[in-house]
Amino acid sequence: MTILIIAEHDNGSLRKSTLNTVAAAQQIGGDIHVAVMGSGVADVAQQAAAVAGVSKVLTFDDAALAQATSEAIAAQILSVAAAYSHILAPATSMGKSTLPRVAARLDVAQVSDIVKVESADTFVRPIYAGSLLATVQSMDAVKVITVRTTGFDAAAATGGSATIEPQTVQAVAHSARFVSSEMAKSDRPELTAASIVVSGGRGLGSAENFHILETLADKLGAALGASRAAVDAGYVANDLQVGQTGKIVAPQLYIAVGISGAIQHQAGMKDSKVIVAINKNPDEPIFQIADYGIVGDLFEVVPQLTAAL
Ligand code: FAD
């Protein structure tokens, strides 16, 4: 068995999601190769080569891949796919957009969002917004898999000494091309990588009121998150949304403020190690999964908590 992992990076550094995906591959077993695609990715390739358990790094380095579309990434994967029993990517925007193209072209059924490896062909994945876990077996010759990063502790970033092999970059007929990107700038940690997340819901009442959570988050060195109701009401940008249709997080500490704890919100945060809920209504479902609950008015509790910190 040989496993190919599609690395996630920003052309300068390897993202932690790649390390979580390597951890899943280690549980499958076999040789682990990592494909690094981009422009000027020599540093990223070195970082990938140093990851424990990786035996080979394939680089696809070309200016045309600087802001690679899913079509372009899929074309590179397909050029080497025949050598692999498993093709894995993190279940991030990149993996979710790219691997279905690969699976379709290989005429196999993708296994999405796995949280556990039972064996080389059998995997556990959440269904119905995480209410149930399905154990699925793939009979396909090539297993195309996206990995829920919160399901696997990151592989060690050091300790490996893989070989690095440059590959021929495939030209892509452009049905889509990169035009521009707008990056939200923030000094706070990235939501999916943060060890503490402070999330606010409709209970905050307005965008201005959300500032009290920013003060708390900054005291804790935490990322900010939000419920969909808070995003839909325009309190914060939609890249902060946690949940079934937002981001999946599993930090050491998740503080839910003015969030009722609807099943779709829980789908994105219930695997957090410690959950703290601040809500004025003790009957809300968030208290059923909270390790610590504070029943009270958030506009009194949050400033007190911030001051105490
Ligand atoms: P509410 O449910 O309105 O809760 C507000 C809470 O604030 C209440 O518990 C209230 O007691 C409390 N509160 C009010 N004032 C105060 C105060 N002064 N002090 C303390 N507490 C106070 N939701 C997500 O979050 N993420 C998703 O990804 C997501 N995806 C969805 C996908 C689908 C297909 C569907 C149908 C829904 C989805 N939802 C998602 C929406 C979800 O069902 C809920 O509507 C949403 O999570 C509710 O957000 P909320 O808890 O902020 O608001």
Side-chain angles (χ1 to χ4, degrees):
M1 285 194 310
T2 313
I3 302 170
L4 181 67
I5 292 172
I6 316 310
E8 191 155 44
H9 62 86
D10 60 4
N11 289 317
S13 51
L14 200 61
R15 294 235 163 93
K16 182 171 166 274
S17 54
T18 310
L19 303 180
N20 302 107
T21 310
V22 171
Q26 286 169 335
Q27 292 182 20
I28 294 170
D31 259 7
I32 300 175
H33 297 180
V34 173
V36 176
M37 299 162 202
S39 176
V41 291
D43 283 354
V44 182
Q46 291 291 350
Q47 293 163 35
V51 175
V54 175
S55 61
K56 191 190 287 185
V57 174
L58 313 182
T59 57
F60 298 80
D61 200 335
D62 193 287
L65 297 178
Q67 302 281 356
T69 59
S70 302
E71 288 88 341
I73 299 173
Q76 314 312 315
I77 300 170
L78 287 163
S79 72
V80 294
Y84 293 96
S85 58
H86 297 71
I87 300 174
L88 271 59
T92 55
S93 304
M94 182 279 287
K96 288 179 185 177
S97 173
T98 305
L99 283 205
R101 298 169 199 277
V102 174
R105 293 287 295 277
L106 294 175
D107 198 20
V108 300
Q110 175 171 305
V111 183
S112 301
D113 226 9
I114 66 164
V115 293
K116 197 171 167 209
V117 174
E118 294 285 353
S119 70
D121 65 4
T122 306
F123 311 94
V124 178
R125 58 180 299 264
I127 55 172
Y128 300 123
S131 306
L132 296 174
L133 292 171
T135 302
V136 296
Q137 184 175 27
S138 167
M139 305 304 203
D140 286 319
V142 184
K143 277 66 166 157
V144 176
I145 297 168
T146 58
V147 175
R148 183 174 286 201
T149 54
T150 54
F152 299 88
D153 289 336
T158 56
S161 56
T163 55
I164 299 177
E165 288 186 8
Q167 306 292 307
T168 306
V169 173
Q170 306 297 310
V172 184
H174 285 295
S175 53
R177 70 186 168 84
F178 172 80
V179 177
S180 67
S181 71
E182 272 180 46
M183 307 291 279
K185 287 196 178 65
S186 170
D187 293 335
R188 298 194 184 91
E190 204 273 315
L191 185 54
T192 55
S195 56
I196 304 177
V197 173
V198 175
S199 264
R202 202 194 318 253
L204 268 299
S206 72
E208 293 72 44
N209 290 345
F210 229 87
H211 292 314
I212 68 167
L213 293 194
E214 293 176 3
T215 317
L216 175 60
D218 290 343
K219 278 263 185 212
L220 291 166
L224 264 190
S227 71
R228 176 159 149 185
V231 168
D232 286 352
Y235 302 169
V236 287
N238 62 3
D239 60 337
L240 297 193
Q241 184 177 319
V242 171
Q244 182 188 341
T245 41
K247 290 181 175 157
I248 309 283
V249 300
Q252 295 297 323
L253 174 61
Y254 187 90
I255 304 179
V257 183
I259 292 177
S260 58
I263 181 112
Q264 296 90 356
H265 186 77
Q266 290 189 22
M269 47 66 74
K270 68 176 164 36
D271 291 331
S272 303
K273 306 292 178 288
V274 175
I275 297 171
V276 174
I278 301 172
N279 197 302
K280 65 180 182 185
N281 180 355
D283 297 327
E284 293 292 32
I286 193 71
F287 286 117
Q288 288 164 18
I289 58 162
D291 299 283
Y292 300 92
I294 304 174
V295 178
D297 186 335
L298 71 91
F299 296 106
E300 290 170 15
V301 176
V302 172
Q304 283 173 10
L305 180 58
T306 309
L309 285 164

